[in-house]
Amino acid sequence: MKFNTLSRHLRESFKSIARNGWMTFASVSAVTVTLLLVGVFMVIMMNLNKVADDLENDVEIKVLIDLQANEKDESNLQDQIKNLPGVESIRYSSKESELSGLVKDFGNDLSLFKQSNPLRNVLYVKASNPQQTAKIAKQIDKMDGTYEALYGKGKIEKLFNVLNTGRNVGIVLIIALLLTAMFLISNTIKITIFARSKEIEIMKLVGATNWFVRIPFLLEGIWLGILGSIIPIIVVTLAYANIHSALAPRLKGEVFELLSVSPFIIEIDALILVMGVIIGMWGSFMSVRKFLKV
Amino acid sequence: MIEMKNVYKKYPNGIVALNGLNIRINQGEFVYIVGPSGAGKSTFIKMMYREEKASSGEIVVNGMNLSNLKNKEVPYLRRQIGVVFQDFKLLPKLTVFENVAFALEVIEEHPEKIRKRVMDVLDLVGLKKKARMFPDELSGGEQQRVSIARSIVNLPKVVIADEPTGNLDPDTSWEIMSLFEEINARGTTIIMATHNREIVNNMRRRVVAIEGGLIVRDERGGDYGYEI
């Protein structure tokens, strides 16, 4: 394409945005509303996902070691567990430190047990993929030197089920929202293009190629997408920054935390912008198609 | 130049517009297409720049065979043909100059060349002084002259006009006709569908009458031939 043609296309796309004031406003509003919805929803979904990840990562296997096991047996067991596929980390805790943990949590009364400690030495095992916890626990349970491998049987499965369903529902909702957005925007753009079908017809009759007709509309779609993503980006960024600074201190030390503002919200902003551009281009492309058949 | 052999056209609604039509038009001819409404004149005209596709038969325009012309190639066919419409088809938001320049921008001409060519044709149609005006500031005859200027600005070999005087008063129609005569005198083929008896009878050019999708009369220096 010649440079002159490209600058003509750019000029045309700007001109038509200015010239079709109300239609531009309608399209931009449609983009704004849907991107705002998608943006807010994505922020919520990503945070729920983070919470789910945090909860999952908190899951660990507590391996109670046989009382008969001596130091050599214990280190044998540790090596065996380390060699299991999918094990991320192991932490050893002697029965003394287990007891002082209990004393800390439940009060000094328990320190009586210091004379004859009824607890066992413990290994805490974390799976690199939390969903594999049950499988790994079963394998550890069979090893020599293991008295029992505890992992919250039943509860864990339920938790994972809920989290997985939640994630899938979220993905489906985001996709549905995006499709609605595309439909809404392509319809609005179709109306603006319909008003200019005569222009397209004349272009075709004087020998314009399809791409020559299409490109200014595609550019216009891009500008509409960019204009439409400005408000959602501002709103989502400010809202999240405020909510985060209000909630984050309260969640300190809990099992789960919110995603920190940077880079998360910048990624969301970029995503909103990209979606705006794609939706605008796609909407223009689909709408022009109909009028090119002259 | 332009040749049609056994061209047959049936629209999706079942109407047969052309029923095995044959014609040959040479470079530089001036041809009037006459006939009652609904006889197939418009379909015949639209076939030549591929706004309508023939259902069967062969059409050759400027050496391009339209029966196997790909959609992608249609723009290049249309660049060799100027088309003038009864309703002018000007873009209301563009000036006279921009409307004419449009046909050259679309084929990616150099801006400097566009300016020169457009001013030349506007001079030819007598609208050089109104180049900056908008279509709705012009009379019907002037608007038609703009659309003629647009059709010839890229120097096509053929100009096709579908009732170009249909919306104009008699005096203005004569002005437009003398413009077409002038363009024809420069070697451009002109094919014009018209209902204007007076013009056809006075010009004495080749007259082709279409009825029921067939050519029923084709004579050089003929008259309009229909009684009102």
Side-chain angles (χ1 to χ4, degrees), chain B residues 2-214:
Chain B
I2 293 177
E3 193 161 21
M4 297 196 182
K5 281 182 194 157
N6 279 318
V7 173
Y8 178 84
K9 172 70 183 180
K10 186 176 182 179
Y11 284 104
N13 62 11
I15 289 174
V16 176
L18 296 182
N19 203 352
L21 185 143
N22 291 289
I23 194 170
R24 187 185 155 82
I25 297 169
N26 292 318
Q27 178 65 42
E29 276 196 88
F30 196 128
V31 185
Y32 288 110
I33 311 292
V34 300
S37 298
K41 292 196 304 291
S42 282
T43 304
F44 173 75
I45 293 267
K46 283 176 182 168
M47 290 279 164
M48 286 184 272
Y49 55 95
R50 245 290 297 264
E51 188 169 343
E52 293 294 346
K53 246 180 175 170
S55 310
S56 70
E58 194 177 296
I59 306 175
V60 178
V61 175
N62 286 348
M64 294 173 109
N65 190 341
L66 304 205
S67 15
N68 52 29
L69 193 72
K70 293 187 188 106
N71 283 335
K72 262 201 326 212
E73 297 166 335
V74 171
Y76 303 96
L77 164 74
R78 291 184 180 161
R79 289 173 193 187
Q80 301 179 25
I81 303 173
V83 188
V84 178
F85 304 91
Q86 182 174 6
D87 59 354
F88 321 140
K89 288 200 197 296
L90 299 176
L91 294 170
K93 284 171 183 163
L94 300 186
T95 64
V96 167
F97 180 92
E98 288 166 337
N99 261 293
V100 178
F102 197 66
L104 292 178
E105 277 175 19
V106 154
I107 60 174
E108 305 189 31
E109 272 294 356
H110 192 273
E112 203 50 51
K113 199 179 164 194
I114 292 181
R115 196 161 346 168
K116 194 176 172 310
R117 275 296 304 156
V118 173
M119 288 323 282
D120 282 353
V121 284
L122 285 181
D123 197 20
L124 175 71
V125 302
L127 286 174
K128 206 173 179 179
K129 288 193 178 123
K130 301 196 169 176
R132 283 160 176 267
M133 292 172 95
F134 287 90
D136 59 5
E137 297 170 320
L138 302 179
S139 70
E142 286 170 330
Q143 289 187 42
Q144 190 57 297
R145 280 192 271 163
V146 176
S147 107
I148 292 170
R150 182 182 62 195
S151 75
I152 59 169
V153 73
N154 60 351
L155 304 170
K157 288 183 180 155
V158 195
V159 170
I160 297 169
D162 195 358
E163 304 211 23
T165 58
N167 283 348
L168 303 176
D169 62 64
D171 283 351
T172 319
S173 298
W174 281 110
E175 279 172 31
I176 296 297
M177 286 320 298
S178 58
L179 192 51
F180 276 118
E181 285 288 333
E182 199 179 332
I183 295 164
N184 179 240
R186 299 174 173 211
T188 309
T189 310
I190 302 220
I191 300 165
M192 182 185 300
T194 185
H195 280 299
N196 194 321
R197 159 192 306 274
E198 208 185 330
I199 286 175
V200 178
N201 287 347
N202 275 287
M203 293 292 195
R204 292 289 157 182
R205 297 292 199 149
R206 181 178 175 188
V207 176
V208 172
I210 296 182
E211 268 177 60
L214 282 170

Side-chain angles (χ1 to χ4, degrees), chain A residues 1-2 4-5 8-9 11-12 15 19-20 198-210 212 294, chain B residues 49 51 75-76 78-79 81 83 85 89-94 98 102-103 105-108 110-111 150 154:
Chain A
M1 196 193 306
K2 291 179 187 171
N4 282 326
T5 311
R8 176 203 176 266
H9 287 328
R11 219 170 40 240
E12 281 301 309
K15 242 197 245 168
R19 205 190 277 155
N20 301 289
K198 192 180 165 194
E199 198 174 320
I200 296 177
E201 188 194 346
I202 294 170
M203 288 173 99
K204 290 295 312 257
L205 287 178
V206 295
T209 58
N210 282 350
F212 189 91
V294 176
Chain B
Y49 55 95
E51 188 169 343
Y76 303 96
R78 291 184 180 161
R79 289 173 193 187
I81 303 173
V83 188
F85 304 91
K89 288 200 197 296
L90 299 176
L91 294 170
K93 284 171 183 163
L94 300 186
E98 288 166 337
F102 197 66
E105 277 175 19
V106 154
I107 60 174
E108 305 189 31
H110 192 273
R150 182 182 62 195
N154 60 351

